[in-house]
């Protein structure tokens, strides 16, 4: 009964449910999963043709007041040189992005109120100068702060839920609550942000059922984007001795989200490319439609190590590298703000 083709028929014909998603996630080999990958690829092509939206990331500060157990820039990691870029430094990079046809800028940082003013000033300046979409990814804030970001002109906000498994969430986040994080996501939607979320796959103690429940959560929240990345241990964190799971689990999750949420934006993430050299290419073959190149300048890049061996830290990978990677998946990058429709 549990043949992959039968599971696919059920995914196409019956209402989404966690049991079905769990059975799909438990399919053991890539070859058996292929019909589901193919269906996800078909849906991606139906909504996005063979186009890949490009969003340039600037990791403008690695200051963070939290201590998520998996994360290399957690507050207690004292080995790190902390930095915050100035508005002028950020604007120089935005100029470069714009000249290269990248029309979405993602401003990412650790979570701390020290960033709020800089974010507001910078968003204002970007919106005044360019017709670009601005995405923020700076963690949990009060509603009034989110609202100020919106007024300054920010279009989108990324806040990964990481996991919706209450117990696991608690274990990994000594200073946050799942409830508050969910509240933030609904707040962002209410304020009119194109809201993105996401999870890590292969977290220690995470079950297939728990990932299935994450997908059910997405189908309720209906985010504009979901970033899915494999957990990769970092040597200076409490999870340093944990083993990562294989990329196949991340790719299965991505394909099932495409099937569940159809026109959602799904990036081929840096963590996918770090865990497996073909990770991002396979992701774009099987349902991803977004690529997020890192525009953080070299001296800062190495201080934004969320996990070990993060790619594109030493290599000089500009826009041509992104085009080539998309090309290897049979796709092409487009000059577009790439909104949610
Ligand atoms: N492995 C993979 N992804 C990680 N992130 C943080 N630490 C790790 C890790 N060790 C991801 C989280 C966070 C995003 C900024 O980076 O999902 O939301
Ligand atoms: Fe800070 Fe985000 Fe890392 Fe948590 S995952 S420690 S909030 S940067």
């Amino acid at each position: 009964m549990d043949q992959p083709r039968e599971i696919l028929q059920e995914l196409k014909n019956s209402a989404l449910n966690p049991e079905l998603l769990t059975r799909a996630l438990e399919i053991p080999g890539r070859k058996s999963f292929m019909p589901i990958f193919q269906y996800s690829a078909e849906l991606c092509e139906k909504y996005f043709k063979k186009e890949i939206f490009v969003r340039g990331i600037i990791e403008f500060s690695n200051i963070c007041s939290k201590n998520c157990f998996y994360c290399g820039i957690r507050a207690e990691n004292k080995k790190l040189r902390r930095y915050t870029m100035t508005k002028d430094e950020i604007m120089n990079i935005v100029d470069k992005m714009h000249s290269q046809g990248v029309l979405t800028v993602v401003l990412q940082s650790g979570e701390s109120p020290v960033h709020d003013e800089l974010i507001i000033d910078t968003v204002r300046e970007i919106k005044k100068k360019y017709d670009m979409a601005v995405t923020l990814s700076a963690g949990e804030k009060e509603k009034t702060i989110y609202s100020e970001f919106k007024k300054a002109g920010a279009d989108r906000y990324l806040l990964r839920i990481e996991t919706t498994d209450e117990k696991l969430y608690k274990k990994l986040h000594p200073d946050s609550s799942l409830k508050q994080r969910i509240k933030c996501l609904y707040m962002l939607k209410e304020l009119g942000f194109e809201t993105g979320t996401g999870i890590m796959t292969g977290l220690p103690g995470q079950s297939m059922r728990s990932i299935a429940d994450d997908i059910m959560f997405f189908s309720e929240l209906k985010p504009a984007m979901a970033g899915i990345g494999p957990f990769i241990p970092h040597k200076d964190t409490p999870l340093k001795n944990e083993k990562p799971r294989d990329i196949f689990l991340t790719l299965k999750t991505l394909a099932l989200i495409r099937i569940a949420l159809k026109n959602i934006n799904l990036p081929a993430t840096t963590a996918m490319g770090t865990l497996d050299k073909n990770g991002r290419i396979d992701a774009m073959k099987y349902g991803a439609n977004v690529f997020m190149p890192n525009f953080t300048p070299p001296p800062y890049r190495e201080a934004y190590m969320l996990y070990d061996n993060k790619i594109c830290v030493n290599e000089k990978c500009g826009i041509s590298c992104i085009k080539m990677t998309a090309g290897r998946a049979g796709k092409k990058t487009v000059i577009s703000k790439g909104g949610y429709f």
Side-chain angles (χ1 to χ4, degrees):
M1 179 59 199
D2 251 14
Q3 294 301 312
R5 280 184 194 285
E6 280 156 17
I7 294 179
L8 178 61
Q9 278 319 309
E10 277 189 61
L11 284 167
K12 284 182 179 177
N13 302 327
S14 51
L16 207 62
N17 66 76
E19 291 77 21
L20 175 61
L21 290 168
T22 306
R23 274 158 55 214
L25 285 164
E26 279 169 351
I27 295 173
R30 271 202 195 212
K31 227 172 138 187
S32 334
F33 201 82
M34 205 41 87
I36 300 179
F37 277 145
Q38 272 160 2
Y39 182 53
S40 164
E42 266 169 43
L43 284 173
C44 188
E45 208 168 317
K46 176 176 164 192
Y47 292 102
F48 302 102
K49 297 177 274 183
K50 288 188 183 298
E51 296 180 349
I52 298 290
F53 296 147
V54 181
R55 330 262 210 225
I57 303 189
I58 306 174
E59 295 152 336
F60 69 90
S61 173
N62 65 354
I63 293 177
C64 187
S65 54
K66 287 196 168 170
N67 274 298
C68 309
F69 278 0
Y70 43 78
C71 179
I73 67 169
R74 61 205 300 273
E76 275 172 26
N77 182 6
K78 303 285 186 246
K79 289 192 183 164
L80 218 57
R81 195 176 53 87
R82 300 283 167 173
Y83 71 88
T84 300
M85 290 164 63
T86 64
K87 186 175 72 172
D88 288 348
E89 280 179 298
I90 302 173
M91 284 311 295
N92 276 337
I93 304 166
V94 175
D95 293 341
K96 187 170 132 194
M97 275 184 192
H98 190 263
S99 71
Q100 294 185 4
V102 176
L103 300 186
T104 292
V105 49
V106 183
L107 299 178
Q108 187 166 75
S109 66
E111 185 175 315
S112 166
V114 300
H115 302 131
D116 297 350
E117 218 166 294
L118 174 64
I119 292 176
I120 292 166
D121 286 352
T122 310
V123 173
R124 271 205 202 111
E125 183 143 342
I126 299 172
K127 296 303 276 194
K128 200 165 76 192
K129 195 163 179 187
Y130 295 119
D131 181 19
M132 285 170 100
V134 177
T135 305
L136 300 177
S137 171
E140 293 172 34
K141 308 273 175 192
E142 298 285 332
K143 192 170 184 179
T144 48
I145 304 291
Y146 283 149
S147 168
E148 285 190 48
F149 291 168
K150 192 83 191 61
K151 270 191 241 146
D155 305 275
R156 307 178 181 142
Y157 205 100
L158 297 180
L159 187 72
R160 285 191 181 176
I161 194 74
E162 315 292 2
T163 172
T164 60
D165 183 322
E166 188 101 50
K167 269 200 194 139
L168 186 57
Y169 193 95
K170 224 177 174 158
K171 262 194 199 162
L172 298 173
H173 303 101
D175 29 32
S176 334
S177 88
L178 178 61
K179 234 171 117 189
Q180 184 57 26
R181 199 135 179 114
I182 295 175
K183 210 170 138 192
C184 283
L185 281 166
Y186 280 98
M187 224 147 58
L188 288 162
K189 276 199 89 171
E190 199 191 307
L191 289 168
F193 283 100
E194 271 185 38
T195 305
T197 187
I199 54 161
M200 271 179 282
T201 51
L203 285 164
Q206 184 184 42
S207 64
M208 296 303 121
R209 170 60 195 238
S210 145
I211 297 177
D213 287 337
D214 297 338
I215 301 175
M216 294 305 293
F217 170 73
F218 296 156
S219 73
E220 247 182 72
L221 176 72
K222 297 195 174 37
M225 170 158 155
I228 311 304
F231 157 73
I232 302 169
H234 184 289
K235 61 182 183 351
D236 302 315
T237 64
L239 301 186
K240 62 178 178 221
N241 294 323
E242 297 292 341
K243 295 276 164 290
R245 298 276 299 257
D246 59 32
I247 191 72
F248 178 43
L249 174 62
T250 314
L251 295 171
K252 283 192 282 194
T253 306
L254 175 104
L256 291 168
I257 297 172
R258 169 66 66 214
I259 292 168
L261 282 103
K262 311 286 190 276
N263 62 337
I264 188 171
N265 286 310
L266 292 175
T269 57
T270 308
M272 291 175 181
T274 302
L275 187 60
D276 183 300
K277 69 177 184 346
N278 291 320
R280 287 184 298 185
I281 299 164
D282 287 346
M284 284 187 272
K285 279 187 188 160
Y286 302 142
N289 69 308
V290 176
F291 203 117
M292 301 173 81
N294 186 354
F295 277 81
T296 313
Y300 300 132
R301 264 187 209 200
E302 56 195 50
Y304 208 93
M305 280 288 187
L306 301 170
Y307 41 82
D308 289 339
N309 306 314
K310 189 171 161 208
I311 51 167
C312 309
V313 167
N314 301 313
E315 307 94 296
K316 212 177 148 25
C317 58
I319 203 81
S320 56
C321 161
I322 283 118
K323 283 186 183 156
M324 200 175 72
T325 311
R328 286 177 64 195
K331 306 263 172 143
K332 72 174 196 314
T333 57
V334 288
I335 297 179
S336 155
K337 285 199 268 183
Y340 182 64
F341 45 86

